[in-house]
Amino acid sequence: MCRFIAYIGKPIFADELLLKPKNSLMKQSYHALESEMTVNGDGFGIGWYNHFRRKEPALFRSIRPAWNDENLSYNASMIKTNCLLAHIRAATQGGVSIQNSHPFQYKEFLMMQNGGIKEFNRIKRKLINRLDDDTFEWIQGQTDTQYIFALFLTLTGELKKEKGSLTFDDLSNCLSETFAEIEEMKKEEKMDSPSLYNLVLTNGKVLIATRYSTRPEIETRSLHIASNTECYTSEDGFLVCKPLKGNEDSVLISSEILTENRESWKEVPENHVIMVEEDLSVKMKPLK
Amino acid sequence: MCRFIAYIGKPIFADELLLKPKNSLMKQSYHALESEMTVNGDGFGIGWYNHFRRKEPALFRSIRPAWNDENLSYNASMIKTNCLLAHIRAATQGGVSIQNSHPFQYKEFLMMQNGGIKEFNRIKRKLINRLDDDTFEWIQGQTDTQYIFALFLTLTGELKKEKGSLTFDDLSNCLSETFAEIEEMKKEEKMDSPSLYNLVLTNGKVLIATRYSTRPEIETRSLHIASNTECYTSEDGFLVCKPLKGNEDSVLISSEILTENRESWKEVPENHVIMVEEDLSVKMKPLK
Amino acid sequence: MCRFIAYIGKPIFADELLLKPKNSLMKQSYHALESEMTVNGDGFGIGWYNHFRRKEPALFRSIRPAWNDENLSYNASMIKTNCLLAHIRAATQGGVSIQNSHPFQYKEFLMMQNGGIKEFNRIKRKLINRLDDDTFEWIQGQTDTQYIFALFLTLTGELKKEKGSLTFDDLSNCLSETFAEIEEMKKEEKMDSPSLYNLVLTNGKVLIATRYSTRPEIETRSLHIASNTECYTSEDGFLVCKPLKGNEDSVLISSEILTENRESWKEVPENHVIMVEEDLSVKMKPLK
Amino acid sequence: MCRFIAYIGKPIFADELLLKPKNSLMKQSYHALESEMTVNGDGFGIGWYNHFRRKEPALFRSIRPAWNDENLSYNASMIKTNCLLAHIRAATQGGVSIQNSHPFQYKEFLMMQNGGIKEFNRIKRKLINRLDDDTFEWIQGQTDTQYIFALFLTLTGELKKEKGSLTFDDLSNCLSETFAEIEEMKKEEKMDSPSLYNLVLTNGKVLIATRYSTRPEIETRSLHIASNTECYTSEDGFLVCKPLKGNEDSVLISSEILTENRESWKEVPENHVIMVEEDLSVKMKPLK
């Protein structure tokens, strides 16, 4: 099981989120409080945007534990970004390699996941045959997340051909459709093991996050959101996300509550999708 | 383009082959004389057998250049084996990761390749759909070699079900059949780019090597064999393979001539297969 | 804080010690029961001997966590040795690099440590100036252990010049003398922080282990020994060290109790040295 | 022997220097035209400044070859900086580790070197004893460059105590003094092997580069400068540094000529120092 955070909003330096807080993701690589597995030491990755430079994000991924990678410590404080995804990994599907490290990038999109499709191999070929050539060739690793991402890209590609351009709702619908198609494939194979789609998708401007277990009575993953807030590291080392009135500065989504002031956070209900608009307004709705 | 050597015969310490010779594979990672690309710095791998312990080989693979990996230097002199495959990589298909490093292992088999299938992605899915479940799930990387290996394993699996057990000729035929099926797939896709199947397959007891270009007039790879010889590193640092009379001690197959006494070596003709039996007798025949 | 085990005795395959047991060192890299720090993910190393090949040991060290290194899993079952040292690291002194990974090797000797000298930098130069040229040049990393080892080597070098050859007692005395000289240097600098010399030294034939805290009332490290035993992995996955009568097959020394049958183990008392002779007889005596 | 480039001037994206040009440093990691060794595959490092964020530079260093590191390709285009140092390594002194990778950083300073002190170990302890505590403790690797840097830092520290603050000339004098003290140490040890001080030192605002061989008749290293120029990658993939009139936009210093328009470049004469002021004016003078 992995851990992740996603930030979108007012430009922020990456170390404010990743390193400085006492309860930062980097420290979570040692201890994940709401998780059963205590170590996420099988690599990490961050992806971030700088739209002044280009629409595609930058990526920095490593197969070493986040807590012992000098490059992360050295550079996080030099990265200023309005949108950052960070992921620490405890390997399940696919070996430990850069190619299997989240987030994954395709053109302007980033995706990362905490969870997975149990017994994924039983539908892998079916899924491969459903992909368009481009997205199939894009896959460079062995995680189920890359295949989920590839199917999403295939579906958006098809819809784009049809409609010319896509709205935010279209993206969100394609994501739901991705889950639906995969569950249909599982059904054809008579698989009733749970799928856990706790994932984040962004193009650096809008962001979608899902908390979705197909069998929540068996297994679920936590997901939290702090919105309408301003985030900074306090003098005593805690990440503080202060609720703001009147304006909305950022949205922070995380597998675990990151800040001391727990009242800033809402738990995302099971089987819901969160959509963060360019103006940072947040919509939450049930996933069908 | 990569480089490789394969040794089978009288048990030998790995450093005699890999480190000590002035013209060793490790030094070839810097300079490959018969190759256009001068650097093979995208990792390396060795696989070897100890049949007293078990039939499956051991593997040591790294994404660092062979010439700067301390572990290789430290350990090669402690590895005694009757059969060793070593490979240095210049990445073409698939990123640089352990999972993409040759040799590849499945049960008792090892395979490695110098060459590849141009535009492999165009037939990748066709090939995937041809694999049995087991060998498909076994694939953990993105190189074409792993897919060639997987198809070979599928074909041997099918033949084994039919016949109960397999002879050495069966293995060799399955390998030819593997090439034939892939070329058939390429034909269906109207691909006329060359495939270069310079590869080695072994179970630690018998060994098959092929030099096969589907369009040798466009591109070919060198392959050499030194058999009926005894190999050791001379005092002045050259790997010597002395031709022996009466008994046969080892067979050495290599993408480049490794020793100073060039007369020990024969160039394998284009589109031929070499079969080394358990008694180290060598059969060479044209590939259909 | 780190973890280690040392084995000397009847030749054994390394996986019996490192991988197969449910409570193996590799699994300890996740959870160290008797240790405060739960993760030892900053690399690992093993060193082992094969006296049929040469008197110097082989080394395999990695900066990745032991639990996710394929090469360790692949190869441990092919390593047969009468003497093996294994170490997992939680970095304290010196960054994460191969050069800082235990065990350290000089000619036929291996040394590894769990512990360290607090505020080591305050005496580092004094210690450097005490070393002979050879052992000073040998140092390739930044851990205090390498400096302790270098001082030990300097002292044995001096004694050897005097006496011609060294007995086992000489080695043991040089080790005590090493601690004494370092503590003397600390005294000159008015340092009263504790030194924790839980270390193992071997030449593959005899082995010395120490449990020594200069201020045990402030801090100590556990150390255990199982001797006069035969070790194997039971069917239910536990490392079993069965006490034997009449003959002595192996000695196992470990920072933590490794086996289920805790009665096989003795805790080494604070400030004691263990000396394992070539015939595997064990002497334990107080460190002055 | 290594390769390096240093850029100071108008803010530029790092990929313009490192990746896009056909003759970029990254491609030089394969082929260094003016160098005898063809491969610089033992890691690389870049350091850069963003004075809007802080005065200390960021560092990204890797032990993998520059040409196969995804993170470098992904991120260079997101780094905008007025001052960048980049270095590719062919290991000589010190093993391959992050801690031994150039550039080295101390507070606001970066230093990197192409060259070295032959038989450095013979004066290493003398040099260590000359360092102040702070800079001695700062050393985390084994390269001679770190020790040269540490001596320079000791000398500037002493001068600062004396004078309160340091001018650019003071820095330059301290660097000459560093070389002089080292050569004095060598003399005391009766060493007459050459020292090659081709190095760059910067605080992100001013920059010093030296080309200095103590025995140029035996061995020298090339160094080139392109100043009063504007640099960009042309459509056909060449780094172009166009000489400008009236204003000065950047200074580029490199071990090899990087651009096609060779007339932009001047060879730095043997035993000279280059000083680049904050206004990018360049002073070149003989090193005593």
Side-chain angles (χ1 to χ4, degrees):
Chain A
M1 208 175 89
C2 310
R3 305 277 90 197
F4 67 57
I5 64 169
Y7 175 91
I8 188 163
K10 198 169 80 171
I12 192 174
F13 283 100
D15 58 342
E16 296 287 334
L17 285 170
L18 299 177
L19 307 183
K20 289 191 183 171
K22 279 190 188 161
N23 43 357
S24 73
L25 197 69
M26 195 160 156
K27 283 151 203 165
Q28 279 190 50
S29 60
Y30 255 79
H31 300 289
L33 302 178
E34 299 179 47
S35 153
E36 285 157 36
M37 284 182 68
T38 43
V39 188
N40 290 272
D42 297 331
F44 71 91
I46 59 174
W48 70 97
Y49 293 84
N50 180 349
H51 295 291
F52 298 107
R53 176 59 173 156
R54 62 171 188 202
K55 63 179 185 174
E56 293 85 11
L59 272 188
F60 176 61
R61 301 185 294 180
S62 168
I63 56 171
R64 292 172 56 190
W67 72 79
N68 86 15
D69 195 292
E70 316 76 353
N71 285 317
L72 184 59
S73 332
Y74 266 117
N75 295 326
S77 63
M78 296 292 257
I79 294 171
K80 193 172 187 177
T81 180
N82 78 308
C83 181
L84 179 139
L85 265 50
H87 188 276
I88 50 177
R89 186 160 182 243
T92 50
Q93 300 268 2
V96 176
S97 72
I98 292 277
Q99 290 80 5
N100 286 343
S101 295
H102 305 232
F104 301 105
Q105 177 252 336
Y106 180 89
K107 293 182 181 165
E108 73 269 31
F109 292 110
L110 286 176
M111 185 183 276
M112 64 181 175
Q113 189 182 13
N114 169 24
I117 300 162
K118 297 282 158 72
E119 302 178 86
F120 171 61
N121 271 326
R122 291 177 58 188
I123 56 157
K124 191 173 176 179
R125 260 188 291 202
K126 219 182 265 271
L127 203 159
I128 283 174
N129 289 323
R130 177 68 182 86
L131 302 178
D132 65 34
D133 289 353
D134 229 40
T135 58
F136 174 62
E137 289 188 20
W138 162 84
I139 296 173
Q140 287 300 316
Q142 299 293 333
T143 67
D144 48 3
T145 311
Q146 283 155 304
Y147 289 88
I148 297 170
F149 196 2
L151 180 53
F152 166 79
L153 293 167
T154 294
L155 292 172
T156 51
E158 289 170 1
L159 194 60
K160 210 172 175 178
K161 243 176 243 163
E162 209 178 287
K163 291 190 50 177
S165 73
L166 301 182
T167 65
F168 191 16
D169 276 325
D170 289 332
L171 292 181
S172 172
N173 290 338
C174 283
L175 194 56
S176 312
E177 182 59 22
T178 301
F179 302 158
E181 288 209 13
I182 292 173
E183 292 310 307
E184 188 56 35
M185 291 175 196
K186 284 172 57 183
K187 218 158 136 188
E188 287 166 23
E189 293 296 316
K190 305 197 191 322
M191 290 165 61
D192 64 352
S193 47
S195 298
L196 296 155
Y197 302 101
N198 277 35
L199 58 78
V200 172
L201 172 76
T202 186
N203 60 6
K205 293 181 170 173
V206 296
L207 186 148
I208 303 176
T210 57
R211 182 189 183 186
Y212 181 18
S213 168
T214 58
R215 301 194 58 192
E217 75 283 7
I218 292 182
E219 198 174 349
T220 181
R221 291 272 189 283
S222 58
L223 190 71
H224 301 88
I225 180 166
S227 71
N228 189 19
T229 61
E230 186 182 31
C231 296
Y232 56 93
T233 305
S234 70
E235 271 177 29
D236 45 349
F238 291 107
L239 182 66
V240 177
C241 288
K242 233 176 44 189
L244 294 176
K245 276 168 204 128
N247 70 323
E248 293 176 319
D249 263 22
S250 73
V251 177
L252 195 54
I253 287 165
S254 172
S255 46
E256 301 207 323
I257 291 178
L258 280 178
T259 67
E260 283 296 291
N261 54 337
R262 302 179 64 92
E263 67 278 11
S264 305
W265 291 84
K266 276 190 275 296
E267 189 175 12
V268 178
E270 191 62 70
N271 297 1
H272 274 66
V273 61
I274 292 169
M275 294 174 64
V276 187
E277 305 266 2
E278 265 194 78
D279 67 359
L280 300 181
S281 64
V282 176
K283 209 160 48 186
M284 196 186 297
K285 57 180 187 180
L287 264 167
K288 289 154 291 189
Chain B
M1 209 176 87
C2 311
R3 305 276 90 197
F4 65 55
I5 63 168
Y7 175 93
I8 188 163
K10 199 171 80 172
I12 192 173
F13 284 101
D15 58 342
E16 296 286 335
L17 284 170
L18 299 176
L19 308 183
K20 288 191 182 172
K22 279 190 189 162
N23 43 356
S24 74
L25 197 69
M26 195 160 156
K27 282 150 204 166
Q28 280 190 50
S29 60
Y30 255 79
H31 299 290
L33 301 180
E34 300 180 46
S35 153
E36 285 157 36
M37 285 182 67
T38 43
V39 188
N40 290 272
D42 297 330
F44 70 92
I46 59 173
W48 69 97
Y49 292 84
N50 180 349
H51 294 291
F52 298 107
R53 176 59 173 158
R54 63 172 188 201
K55 62 180 185 171
E56 291 86 13
L59 272 189
F60 175 60
R61 301 184 293 179
S62 168
I63 55 171
R64 292 172 56 190
W67 72 78
N68 85 16
D69 194 292
E70 315 78 353
N71 285 317
L72 184 59
S73 332
Y74 265 117
N75 295 325
S77 62
M78 296 294 256
I79 294 171
K80 193 173 187 177
T81 179
N82 77 308
C83 180
L84 179 140
L85 266 49
H87 188 276
I88 50 176
R89 188 163 180 241
T92 50
Q93 301 267 1
V96 176
S97 72
I98 292 277
Q99 291 80 6
N100 285 342
S101 295
H102 304 233
F104 302 106
Q105 178 253 338
Y106 180 87
K107 292 183 181 164
E108 73 268 31
F109 291 109
L110 286 176
M111 185 183 277
M112 64 180 176
Q113 189 181 13
N114 168 23
I117 300 163
K118 297 284 157 71
E119 304 178 86
F120 172 61
N121 271 326
R122 291 176 59 187
I123 56 157
K124 191 173 176 179
R125 260 188 290 204
K126 218 182 265 272
L127 203 160
I128 284 173
N129 289 322
R130 177 67 182 87
L131 302 178
D132 65 35
D133 289 352
D134 230 39
T135 59
F136 174 61
E137 290 188 20
W138 163 83
I139 296 173
Q140 287 299 317
Q142 299 293 333
T143 65
D144 47 5
T145 312
Q146 284 155 302
Y147 288 89
I148 297 170
F149 196 3
L151 180 53
F152 166 79
L153 293 167
T154 294
L155 292 172
T156 51
E158 289 170 1
L159 194 59
K160 209 171 176 178
K161 243 177 243 160
E162 208 179 284
K163 291 190 48 177
S165 74
L166 300 182
T167 65
F168 191 15
D169 277 324
D170 289 332
L171 292 181
S172 173
N173 291 337
C174 284
L175 193 57
S176 312
E177 181 60 21
T178 301
F179 302 159
E181 287 209 13
I182 292 173
E183 293 309 309
E184 188 56 35
M185 290 176 196
K186 283 172 56 182
K187 217 157 136 188
E188 287 167 22
E189 293 296 317
K190 305 196 192 321
M191 291 165 61
D192 64 353
S193 47
S195 299
L196 296 155
Y197 302 102
N198 276 34
L199 58 77
V200 173
L201 171 77
T202 187
N203 60 5
K205 292 180 171 172
V206 296
L207 186 148
I208 303 176
T210 57
R211 182 187 183 187
Y212 180 19
S213 168
T214 58
R215 301 194 59 191
E217 74 283 8
I218 292 182
E219 198 175 350
T220 181
R221 289 273 189 284
S222 58
L223 189 70
H224 301 87
I225 180 167
S227 71
N228 189 19
T229 60
E230 186 181 32
C231 296
Y232 57 92
T233 306
S234 70
E235 271 178 29
D236 46 349
F238 291 107
L239 182 64
V240 176
C241 288
K242 232 176 45 190
L244 294 177
K245 276 168 204 128
N247 70 323
E248 292 176 317
D249 262 22
S250 73
V251 177
L252 195 55
I253 288 165
S254 172
S255 46
E256 301 207 324
I257 291 178
L258 280 177
T259 66
E260 284 295 292
N261 53 337
R262 300 178 66 92
E263 67 278 10
S264 305
W265 292 85
K266 276 191 273 296
E267 189 175 11
V268 178
E270 191 62 72
N271 297 0
H272 274 66
V273 61
I274 291 169
M275 295 174 64
V276 186
E277 306 265 2
E278 266 193 78
D279 65 0
L280 301 180
S281 63
V282 176
K283 211 162 46 187
M284 195 186 298
K285 56 179 188 181
L287 264 166
K288 289 154 289 187
Chain C
M1 207 176 88
C2 310
R3 306 276 90 197
F4 66 57
I5 63 168
Y7 175 92
I8 188 163
K10 199 171 80 173
I12 192 173
F13 284 100
D15 58 341
E16 296 286 334
L17 285 170
L18 299 177
L19 306 183
K20 289 191 183 172
K22 280 191 190 162
N23 43 356
S24 74
L25 197 69
M26 195 160 156
K27 283 150 203 166
Q28 280 191 51
S29 61
Y30 254 79
H31 300 290
L33 301 178
E34 299 180 46
S35 153
E36 287 157 34
M37 285 181 68
T38 42
V39 188
N40 290 272
D42 298 330
F44 70 91
I46 59 174
W48 70 98
Y49 293 84
N50 179 350
H51 295 291
F52 298 107
R53 175 61 172 155
R54 63 172 188 201
K55 63 180 185 172
E56 293 85 12
L59 273 189
F60 175 60
R61 300 184 293 179
S62 168
I63 56 171
R64 293 173 54 191
W67 72 78
N68 86 15
D69 193 292
E70 316 77 353
N71 284 317
L72 184 59
S73 334
Y74 265 118
N75 295 325
S77 63
M78 295 292 257
I79 294 171
K80 192 172 188 178
T81 179
N82 77 308
C83 180
L84 179 139
L85 266 48
H87 188 277
I88 50 176
R89 188 162 180 239
T92 49
Q93 301 267 359
V96 176
S97 72
I98 292 277
Q99 290 80 4
N100 286 342
S101 295
H102 305 233
F104 301 105
Q105 177 253 337
Y106 180 88
K107 292 183 180 166
E108 73 268 31
F109 291 109
L110 286 175
M111 184 183 276
M112 65 180 176
Q113 188 182 14
N114 168 24
I117 300 162
K118 297 282 158 72
E119 303 178 87
F120 172 61
N121 271 326
R122 291 176 59 187
I123 56 157
K124 191 172 176 180
R125 260 188 291 203
K126 219 183 265 271
L127 203 160
I128 283 173
N129 290 322
R130 177 67 183 87
L131 301 178
D132 64 36
D133 290 352
D134 229 40
T135 58
F136 173 61
E137 289 187 22
W138 162 82
I139 296 173
Q140 287 299 318
Q142 299 293 333
T143 67
D144 48 4
T145 311
Q146 283 154 304
Y147 288 89
I148 297 170
F149 196 3
L151 180 53
F152 166 80
L153 293 167
T154 294
L155 292 173
T156 51
E158 289 169 1
L159 194 59
K160 209 170 176 180
K161 241 175 243 163
E162 209 178 286
K163 292 190 50 179
S165 73
L166 301 181
T167 66
F168 191 16
D169 276 325
D170 289 333
L171 293 181
S172 171
N173 291 337
C174 283
L175 193 57
S176 312
E177 181 59 22
T178 300
F179 303 158
E181 287 208 14
I182 292 172
E183 292 310 308
E184 189 56 36
M185 291 174 196
K186 284 172 56 183
K187 217 157 136 188
E188 288 166 23
E189 293 296 316
K190 305 196 191 325
M191 290 164 61
D192 64 352
S193 47
S195 298
L196 296 154
Y197 302 101
N198 276 33
L199 58 77
V200 173
L201 171 77
T202 187
N203 60 5
K205 293 180 171 175
V206 296
L207 186 148
I208 303 175
T210 57
R211 181 188 184 188
Y212 179 20
S213 167
T214 58
R215 300 194 60 191
E217 74 283 8
I218 292 182
E219 197 174 349
T220 181
R221 291 274 189 284
S222 58
L223 190 71
H224 301 87
I225 181 168
S227 71
N228 190 18
T229 60
E230 187 182 30
C231 295
Y232 57 93
T233 305
S234 70
E235 273 177 29
D236 46 348
F238 291 107
L239 182 64
V240 177
C241 288
K242 232 175 46 189
L244 294 176
K245 273 163 207 134
N247 71 323
E248 293 176 318
D249 261 23
S250 72
V251 177
L252 195 56
I253 287 165
S254 172
S255 47
E256 300 205 324
I257 291 177
L258 281 177
T259 65
E260 283 296 291
N261 54 337
R262 300 179 66 92
E263 68 278 10
S264 305
W265 292 85
K266 276 190 274 297
E267 188 176 11
V268 178
E270 191 61 72
N271 296 1
H272 274 66
V273 61
I274 291 169
M275 295 173 64
V276 187
E277 306 265 1
E278 266 192 78
D279 66 0
L280 300 180
S281 64
V282 176
K283 210 160 50 185
M284 196 187 295
K285 57 179 189 182
L287 264 166
K288 287 155 290 189
Chain D
M1 208 176 90
C2 310
R3 303 276 92 195
F4 66 55
I5 63 169
Y7 175 91
I8 188 162
K10 200 170 79 172
I12 192 173
F13 284 100
D15 58 342
E16 296 286 335
L17 286 170
L18 299 176
L19 307 184
K20 288 191 183 171
K22 280 191 189 160
N23 43 356
S24 73
L25 197 70
M26 194 160 158
K27 284 152 202 164
Q28 280 190 52
S29 60
Y30 255 79
H31 300 290
L33 301 179
E34 300 180 46
S35 153
E36 286 157 35
M37 283 183 69
T38 43
V39 188
N40 290 272
D42 297 330
F44 70 91
I46 59 174
W48 70 97
Y49 292 84
N50 180 348
H51 294 291
F52 298 107
R53 176 59 172 157
R54 63 172 187 201
K55 63 180 185 171
E56 292 84 13
L59 272 189
F60 176 59
R61 301 185 293 179
S62 167
I63 55 171
R64 292 172 56 191
W67 72 78
N68 86 15
D69 194 291
E70 315 77 351
N71 285 316
L72 183 60
S73 333
Y74 265 118
N75 295 325
S77 62
M78 295 293 255
I79 293 171
K80 192 172 188 177
T81 179
N82 78 308
C83 180
L84 179 139
L85 266 50
H87 188 277
I88 50 177
R89 188 163 180 241
T92 49
Q93 300 268 1
V96 177
S97 72
I98 292 278
Q99 291 81 5
N100 285 343
S101 296
H102 305 232
F104 301 105
Q105 177 253 336
Y106 180 88
K107 292 183 181 166
E108 73 269 30
F109 291 109
L110 285 176
M111 184 182 278
M112 64 181 175
Q113 189 181 13
N114 168 24
I117 301 162
K118 297 284 158 71
E119 302 178 87
F120 172 62
N121 271 325
R122 290 175 61 186
I123 57 157
K124 191 173 176 180
R125 260 189 291 203
K126 219 183 265 272
L127 203 160
I128 284 173
N129 289 322
R130 177 67 182 88
L131 302 177
D132 65 35
D133 289 351
D134 230 40
T135 58
F136 174 62
E137 288 188 20
W138 162 83
I139 296 174
Q140 287 300 317
Q142 298 293 331
T143 67
D144 48 4
T145 312
Q146 284 155 303
Y147 288 88
I148 297 170
F149 196 3
L151 180 53
F152 166 80
L153 293 166
T154 294
L155 292 172
T156 52
E158 288 169 1
L159 194 61
K160 209 172 176 178
K161 242 176 241 160
E162 210 179 284
K163 290 189 50 178
S165 73
L166 300 182
T167 65
F168 191 15
D169 277 324
D170 290 332
L171 292 181
S172 172
N173 291 337
C174 283
L175 194 56
S176 312
E177 181 59 22
T178 301
F179 302 158
E181 289 208 12
I182 292 171
E183 293 308 308
E184 188 57 36
M185 291 175 196
K186 283 171 58 183
K187 215 157 137 189
E188 287 167 23
E189 293 296 316
K190 304 196 191 326
M191 290 165 62
D192 64 354
S193 46
S195 298
L196 297 155
Y197 301 102
N198 276 34
L199 58 76
V200 173
L201 172 76
T202 187
N203 59 6
K205 294 182 171 172
V206 297
L207 186 147
I208 303 176
T210 57
R211 181 188 185 188
Y212 181 19
S213 168
T214 58
R215 300 193 60 192
E217 74 284 7
I218 292 182
E219 197 174 350
T220 181
R221 290 273 189 284
S222 58
L223 190 70
H224 301 88
I225 181 167
S227 71
N228 190 20
T229 60
E230 186 182 31
C231 296
Y232 57 93
T233 305
S234 70
E235 271 176 29
D236 46 349
F238 291 107
L239 182 65
V240 177
C241 287
K242 234 176 43 192
L244 294 176
K245 276 167 204 130
N247 71 322
E248 294 176 317
D249 262 22
S250 73
V251 177
L252 194 56
I253 287 164
S254 172
S255 46
E256 300 206 325
I257 291 178
L258 281 177
T259 65
E260 284 295 292
N261 54 337
R262 300 178 67 92
E263 67 278 11
S264 305
W265 292 84
K266 276 190 274 297
E267 188 175 11
V268 179
E270 191 61 72
N271 297 0
H272 273 66
V273 62
I274 291 170
M275 294 174 64
V276 188
E277 305 267 0
E278 266 192 77
D279 66 0
L280 300 181
S281 64
V282 175
K283 208 159 50 185
M284 196 186 296
K285 58 179 187 181
L287 264 166
K288 288 155 289 188

